[in-house]
C-alpha cells in the first residue's frame, strides 16, 4: 500500500522558519507529481504548492508570496516544504499529497494519496 508520512511541524514565533518533510513508500515516487495542502481550524482545505514528477516545474498558491519552497528528493522518495517568515495565518495542519499523474495541480481532485498531516502553529 502507498503511505505518506509528514514530519517537521511544530510551534514557532512569527518570522521563524520550518522545513516540512514527507516520506513516501509503496509506489515509484519519481513517476508522480506531489503537492502540499493545508487546513486551518474551521476552514476548508487549501492548496499550498505542487511539483512535477522530475522537479522541473513548481506551482504555488498566491498567498505564498515567495515565502515557501517545494522541493523533492527522488533518490530517497522525500518531498519537502521549506517555509520562511512564518505568519500567524500560516497556522494549520499541513498535508502531503501524491498525484494521480506526472504534472502538478492545485486541485485536490488530482491527488489520490494523502498523509496524516503535521501541525504548524505560529504564535504572534
Amino acid at each position: 500500500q502507498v503511505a505518506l508520512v509528514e514530519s517537521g511541524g511544530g510551534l514557532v514565533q512569527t518570522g521563524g522558519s520550518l522545513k516540512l518533510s514527507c516520506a513516501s513508500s509503496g509506489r515509484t515516487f519519481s513517476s508522480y507529481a506531489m503537492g502540499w495542502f493545508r487546513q486551518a481550524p474551521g476552514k476548508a482545505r487549501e492548496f499550498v504548492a505542487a511539483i512535477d514528477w522530475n522537479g522541473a516545474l513548481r506551482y504555488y498558491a498566491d498567498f505564498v508570496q515567495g515565502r515557501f519552497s517545494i522541493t523533492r528528493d527522488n533518490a530517497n522518495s522525500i518531498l519537502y516544504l521549506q517555509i520562511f517568515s512564518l505568519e500567524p495565518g500560516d497556522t494549520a495542519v499541513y498535508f502531503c499529497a501524491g498525484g494521480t499523474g506526472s504534472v502538478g495541480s492545485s486541485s485536490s481532485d488530482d491527488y489520490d494519496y494523502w498523509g496524516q498531516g503535521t501541525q504548524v502553529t505560529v504564535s504572534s
Side-chain angles (χ1 to χ4, degrees):
Q1 62 180 16
V2 176
L4 301 174
V5 181
E6 303 96 331
S7 62
L11 174 63
V12 298
Q13 294 183 350
T14 297
S17 300
L18 284 173
K19 189 171 186 177
L20 309 183
S21 299
C22 171
S24 175
S25 62
R27 71 173 180 173
T28 304
F29 177 79
S30 61
S31 296
Y32 298 95
M34 298 291 293
W36 287 98
F37 292 76
R38 71 184 188 184
Q39 187 168 24
K43 302 294 181 63
R45 182 177 297 181
E46 64 179 349
F47 169 74
V48 176
I51 187 168
D52 285 355
W53 64 281
N54 62 357
L57 297 177
R58 297 179 288 178
Y59 313 88
Y60 297 97
D62 289 342
F63 68 77
V64 167
Q65 300 182 28
R67 298 184 299 114
F68 292 24
S69 178
I70 184 171
T71 57
R72 64 191 298 160
D73 179 355
N74 281 351
N76 294 292
S77 300
I78 304 175
L79 177 74
Y80 297 102
L81 184 69
Q82 176 72 63
I83 314 175
F84 295 100
S85 301
L86 280 157
E87 304 169 351
D90 295 321
T91 296
V93 177
Y94 284 70
F95 296 93
C96 171
T100 58
S102 298
V103 179
S105 172
S106 62
S107 174
S108 61
D109 291 339
D110 292 323
Y111 299 87
D112 53 0
Y113 297 102
W114 298 83
Q116 83 289 345
T118 185
Q119 176 71 233
V120 172
T121 303
V122 184
S123 62
S124 59

